[in-house]
Amino acid sequence: MQKKEWGIKLHKAAPYILIIGILIIFVFDPGKALSLLQPILFLGIVGLSFLFIMKDKDLSEDIQPKSAKVRFLLRLIDYRRHPFSLPLLIFIMIVLSFILSKHFGLIMSLETSGNPRYVMSLPVAVWILADLVFACVFIYIIQHCNFFGIRQANQGDDKVMLIHFFEIIICGSTFFIWLLTLVI
């Protein structure tokens, strides 16, 4: 068997090997298996967002609204023009609040186990925010330069709007949970 064929077979079998490994670990130590699942899911979501952004070179026209205020707002939140995003700002605010709370000796309720008040806990929300930050950075990088041998490509409005849709849901709920964590 040649080296290339072996690599292709390993590439196809890798997800199954990973799932079987997690299941075997789950039999012996469920806590360890669940703690290993979170970084695996994070890397999976980052990889899927990269593949989604690279999949289609959507060259749809930019639809510009007539209002100057709306055009200005759309330029502010367009990730094809700048690398800064709302998930990045919220992520930085949450991290700084935890650093400052630790520095001043304040205890923040993370609700990572037991009976949580919310459907989503703050640590899980921060992981999801990090995934959104990676998606925004991928769009910016692919729009402006070559990336690890992948050619520069113009990204369409559809991908940016899809990311904005997920931002509204994730950033809103994360910001709300973070505010409640600060107050309570």
Side-chain angles (χ1 to χ4, degrees):
M1 183 182 323
Q2 292 180 358
K3 206 178 218 186
K4 186 177 181 181
E5 292 174 5
W6 183 79
I8 291 172
K9 286 185 179 183
L10 181 65
H11 174 72
K12 289 181 180 179
Y16 301 114
I17 294 170
L18 187 65
I19 290 170
I20 291 170
I22 292 289
L23 287 175
I24 291 171
I25 293 172
F26 185 78
V27 168
F28 295 110
D29 190 5
K32 180 64 80 175
L34 292 176
S35 67
L36 287 174
L37 195 59
Q38 189 171 7
I40 291 170
L41 287 175
F42 172 75
L43 292 174
I45 292 172
V46 167
L48 286 175
S49 68
F50 179 73
L51 291 176
F52 172 73
I53 290 168
M54 292 309 304
K55 177 185 166 199
D56 189 12
K57 294 179 179 108
D58 186 13
L59 299 175
S60 63
E61 304 174 1
D62 287 337
I63 301 171
Q64 295 295 327
K66 293 179 183 176
S67 170
K69 291 179 184 177
V70 175
R71 280 195 310 266
F72 177 73
L73 179 66
L74 287 176
R75 270 196 310 269
L76 280 178
I77 62 174
D78 192 356
Y79 305 129
R80 297 171 292 183
R81 294 188 170 99
H82 58 80
F84 303 106
S85 63
L86 184 61
L88 178 65
L89 295 175
I90 293 176
F91 184 82
I92 290 171
M93 286 186 335
I94 291 172
V95 169
L96 285 177
S97 68
F98 278 104
I99 289 172
L100 290 175
S101 70
K102 186 169 185 151
H103 176 72
F104 292 118
L106 302 172
I107 298 172
M108 296 182 80
S109 173
L110 293 178
E111 297 190 32
T112 55
S113 64
N115 214 0
R117 283 180 275 193
Y118 318 112
V119 174
M120 180 169 63
S121 66
L122 195 59
V124 172
V126 170
W127 278 90
I128 297 171
L129 277 178
D131 289 327
L132 279 174
V133 169
F134 275 106
C136 299
V137 168
F138 287 150
I139 282 185
Y140 179 77
I141 289 173
I142 299 304
Q143 181 77 20
H144 292 283
C145 62
N146 295 337
F147 181 66
F148 289 127
I150 300 169
R151 294 186 182 162
Q152 179 180 355
N154 291 330
Q155 302 296 315
D157 290 337
D158 297 338
K159 291 179 186 176
V160 175
M161 287 301 171
L162 183 66
I163 291 175
H164 286 315
F165 174 74
F166 286 119
E167 277 181 358
I168 290 170
I169 297 167
I170 301 301
C171 291
S173 60
T174 303
F175 188 73
F176 181 70
I177 292 171
W178 176 68
L179 282 178
L180 288 177
T181 303
L182 287 178
V183 171
I184 295 177

